[in-house]
Every structure is written in structure tokens, then in C-alpha cells.
Amino acid sequence: EVENFVTYYPHRGTVVSEVPADEIDELYQIRRLLEVFIIRRAATRATSKDTERLRGILEREEECIEPDDILDAVEAFNNTLFQLSGATTLVDINKRIREMLQRTMVSNHLNPERRRQAHEEHLKIVEALEHNDPDLAEQYTIEHLNHSPRVPKRSAETERA
């Protein structure tokens, strides 16, 4: 409740708090700024061992079938990638923002078409890291973020009904 993830209503119980649409937009803007900074820094620090590890995670992700396994692999990729930056405080802030967005959005990695596209985008980001090219890494990261649909859970669930 302190972090606004849930709201307690006397005599009704606890419910997951909704995040207003304008706040979601702000969170995406902050996420974009942080991830661009983080990826640029990671690109200047990445070693061949780091990029091999990232490629290994992507290979495992590609083999995943179960939704939880897919999401775990994507999260492992992102966490490994972000840690390469060495910007611990910014990575922690970004993780918090991603968690806030995750509770309000449907993961686009469960859509087979978007999953394939995101996988290709991740490979391009790794390639930029292999060349220690922060400009290219930034470009690919922005493209990846721009392709990520922002589908609220409520409307996605409504569409399935």
C-alpha cells in the first residue's frame, strides 16, 4: 500500500491500484530516457563474453514455449543487458518503473508476431554492443521501444471476452 500497488478499502478489502493513463505515459517517457542512457553506457563497456551471454539468453528464450518461461527469459535478457552499464542506481530506478508498467500492461512478448519482432530487435541491440557502438545501440533501443505496444490489461481482457 505504501508504494501504491494496492489500495485498502474498509469493509471491502484490498484491490490492485489503477495507474492513470497520463501517468503510464510519463512512466514510458522516463523508461525511454533511462534505457537509452543505460544502453549507451552498456555499449561502451560490453565485452565479447558479455555479448555471448546475451546471445545465449536469447537462444534459450527462442526455445521457450510456456508464457512464464518466455517472460523469465526476456527479463533475464533485460537485467543482464542493463547490468552491463554499471549504472546501478539508474538500473534500479528503471527496474522499479518497469515493474510499475508491468502491473498495468500486457506483455507483448506473448504475442507470437511481436515476440519474433522483439527477438530480432534484441539481436540488433546485441550486435551494436558487439561493436561497442553506443549510437547504434541507442537507435536500436529506441526502435524496440517504439514498437512495443502499450495495451492496458483491462482492454486486452475485454477484447478476449
Side-chain angles (χ1 to χ4, degrees):
E1 194 172 8
V2 171
E3 298 194 16
N4 294 323
F5 285 150
V6 295
T7 304
Y8 174 74
Y9 295 100
H11 310 292
R12 286 185 22 202
T14 304
V15 296
V16 175
S17 301
E18 289 190 30
V19 180
D22 60 333
E23 197 172 308
I24 291 171
D25 243 11
E26 288 176 14
L27 291 170
Y28 265 103
Q29 290 175 30
I30 294 166
R31 175 185 168 195
R32 179 180 170 144
L33 291 170
L34 286 172
E35 288 190 15
V36 164
F37 180 86
I38 289 167
I39 197 72
R40 288 187 65 82
R41 194 158 158 175
T44 64
R45 300 165 52 101
T47 65
S48 60
K49 185 176 179 179
D50 295 329
T51 56
E52 284 174 26
R53 186 172 52 201
L54 288 169
R55 284 190 181 279
I57 294 169
L58 288 176
E59 286 173 15
R60 286 191 302 280
E61 181 266 329
E62 201 170 25
E63 295 168 2
C64 293
I65 296 169
E66 296 298 318
D68 285 346
D69 296 336
I70 294 166
L71 297 176
D72 287 346
V74 170
E75 189 67 18
F77 175 81
N78 286 325
N79 288 338
T80 302
L81 177 61
F82 297 154
Q83 292 301 324
L84 296 179
S85 72
T88 309
T89 302
L90 294 179
V91 169
D92 289 344
I93 293 168
N94 191 51
K95 181 178 180 184
R96 173 93 164 99
I97 288 169
R98 291 172 65 86
E99 287 170 353
M100 292 172 72
L101 288 169
Q102 185 176 17
R103 72 187 174 104
T104 64
M105 309 304 276
V106 173
S107 175
N108 59 66
H109 290 279
L110 299 181
N111 172 300
E113 176 66 23
R114 178 62 192 132
R115 180 179 175 198
R116 183 196 54 74
Q117 183 183 26
H119 183 81
E120 293 301 318
E121 292 163 0
H122 284 159
L123 286 171
K124 289 168 85 174
I125 291 169
V126 172
E127 184 178 310
L129 267 62
E130 287 171 336
H131 293 98
N132 296 107
D133 187 336
D135 295 330
L136 197 55
E138 176 180 344
Q139 176 188 331
Y140 291 151
T141 298
I142 290 171
E143 288 174 8
H144 175 64
L145 293 173
N146 286 343
H147 291 146
S148 298
R150 301 176 190 183
V151 181
K153 279 186 178 177
R154 179 181 297 145
S155 64
E157 290 168 2
T158 303
E159 287 173 15
R160 276 188 241 124

